[in-house]
Amino acid sequence: MARGQQRRQEGTERVAGARRGATRRPAPRAGMRPMERLRWLAVWAFKVIACWMVACIGLVVLLRFVPLPVSMVMLEKWGYGLVTGEPMALQHDWVPMEQISNNARLAVIASEDQKFPDHYGFDVDQIVKAIDARLAGERLRGASTISQQTAKNVFLWNGRSWVRKGLEVWFTILIEMIWPKERILEVYLNVAEWGPGVFGVEAAAEHHFNTDAASLSAYQASLLAAVLPNPIRFNAGKPSAYIQRRASWTRRQMNNLGMGYLKRLEQPRGWLSWDLLPSLKELSPAH
């Protein structure tokens, strides 16, 4: 009888083991047929990508509410300094929007992206013009919005690869969906580079003008905005004639827009009203 009970127990264990094995996806075997191996790889690739997308969304949601202690571009510059043997001391102090001068807010919009309150992350008109100029053999011109620059500075690295550009589009869509315009501008002003190792408007105000972000005048703010395309080459505290001209143009644009323009950042927006698709008609050969 004891032997019969032992057999029954062994049989039960084999059935339970078979059931457990049926619910577990096996690792790819050396003898797998090509289609089976491809299917297995596709399943796991889908799982990895899905987990990465969920993690990205979670991170963007978190950064909707908390100050950023550091950005990826800051880490890139710091790491590059270590590798080259020239360590860079980062200057960065986060300040909330309430402690940033309206002059600074309006200056970067006037200089960098005057459609910022209205678009959904991408200035299609500028993209079309950049494509036309490139096809005509002209120098590649920038068409990045404040939203795109924020996505790049916070989550990515400097460079012009297609991979980085694709990721920039992904993160731009995320922050436009999850962050209000005021938050995008607040983050941008706090992570933009305004000199070697100088990140954020508070550090820039102290470094270049010995003041704080809340006290920036229209003249000072226009100089900071003027150097944004190349803050390593140009110095807002010691502006060249070229930067002076750019700053003067920025101040004229600020006067044209007026401080009331900043109220447009508070207007409700929804992705269902996105007018990108009609604008893409301009890309058609028949246009």
Side-chain angles (χ1 to χ4, degrees):
M1 179 174 291
R3 186 175 301 172
Q5 290 177 345
Q6 184 179 359
R7 289 198 188 97
R8 285 195 297 273
Q9 185 177 357
E10 290 175 352
T12 302
E13 291 175 352
R14 284 196 296 271
V15 171
R19 289 175 179 173
R20 287 194 300 270
T23 59
R24 186 184 304 119
R25 185 172 296 277
R29 300 185 302 273
M32 264 190 177
R33 287 178 294 181
M35 288 304 297
E36 291 178 346
R37 181 176 292 273
L38 185 62
R39 189 180 302 112
W40 184 90
L41 290 174
V43 168
W44 279 100
F46 174 80
K47 289 181 178 179
V48 170
I49 294 174
C51 290
W52 175 78
M53 293 176 70
V54 170
C56 289
I57 294 172
L59 179 60
V60 173
V61 170
L62 176 65
L63 296 180
R64 162 70 177 85
F65 303 101
V66 301
L68 276 71
V70 70
S71 71
M72 285 301 297
V73 170
M74 293 181 205
L75 292 176
E76 177 191 8
K77 295 294 182 74
W78 179 76
Y80 181 78
L82 290 181
V83 171
T84 58
E86 300 177 358
M88 176 181 292
L90 299 182
Q91 302 176 49
H92 176 248
D93 292 298
W94 175 277
V95 288
M97 187 67 99
E98 296 76 19
Q99 297 178 26
I100 299 176
S101 164
N102 282 341
N103 290 317
R105 305 185 206 182
L106 189 61
V108 296
I109 293 176
S111 177
E112 295 289 292
D113 185 5
Q114 294 189 16
K115 296 181 181 179
F116 176 65
D118 304 315
H119 65 60
Y120 286 80
F122 308 95
D123 188 339
V124 179
D125 292 334
Q126 289 300 316
I127 292 174
V128 171
K129 291 178 181 178
I131 293 174
D132 290 342
R134 186 63 173 172
L135 293 177
E138 299 178 13
R139 183 176 62 87
L140 183 65
R141 65 171 69 177
S144 293
T145 62
I146 286 177
S147 302
Q148 289 175 269
Q149 294 178 54
T150 303
K152 186 264 290 184
N153 287 339
V154 174
F155 302 105
L156 303 172
W157 61 93
N158 288 312
R160 292 185 176 275
S161 69
W162 286 107
V163 172
R164 192 201 64 79
K165 202 64 179 177
L167 291 173
E168 179 185 302
V169 170
W170 161 247
F171 280 108
T172 299
I173 291 172
L174 285 186
I175 65 174
E176 280 282 346
M177 291 179 66
I178 297 172
W179 298 357
K181 284 291 188 179
E182 285 185 312
R183 177 60 175 177
I184 296 175
L185 183 60
E186 178 184 38
V187 173
Y188 177 70
L189 288 168
N190 273 285
V191 300
E193 187 173 15
W194 267 295
V198 181
F199 291 91
V201 66
E202 179 74 6
E206 172 66 27
H207 180 82
H208 293 296
F209 307 117
N210 195 30
T211 187
D212 55 33
S215 305
L216 286 169
S217 66
Y219 176 74
Q220 293 166 335
S222 68
L223 288 173
L224 288 176
V227 302
L228 278 172
N230 196 335
I232 305 302
R233 178 182 176 186
F234 301 116
N235 188 325
K238 299 177 181 179
S240 64
Y242 169 73
I243 292 301
Q244 290 281 13
R245 289 194 299 272
R246 279 185 56 88
S248 178
W249 177 87
T250 298
R251 290 193 297 276
R252 290 196 298 273
Q253 297 302 308
M254 292 170 66
N255 290 332
N256 292 338
L257 296 176
M259 285 299 172
Y261 193 79
L262 295 176
K263 289 291 185 182
R264 296 175 61 179
L265 301 180
E266 303 172 5
Q267 64 188 9
R269 303 174 308 124
W271 269 78
L272 292 179
S273 63
W274 192 17
D275 58 357
L276 170 63
L277 294 179
S279 300
L280 291 178
K281 293 178 181 178
E282 301 180 26
L283 293 173
S284 63
H287 184 267

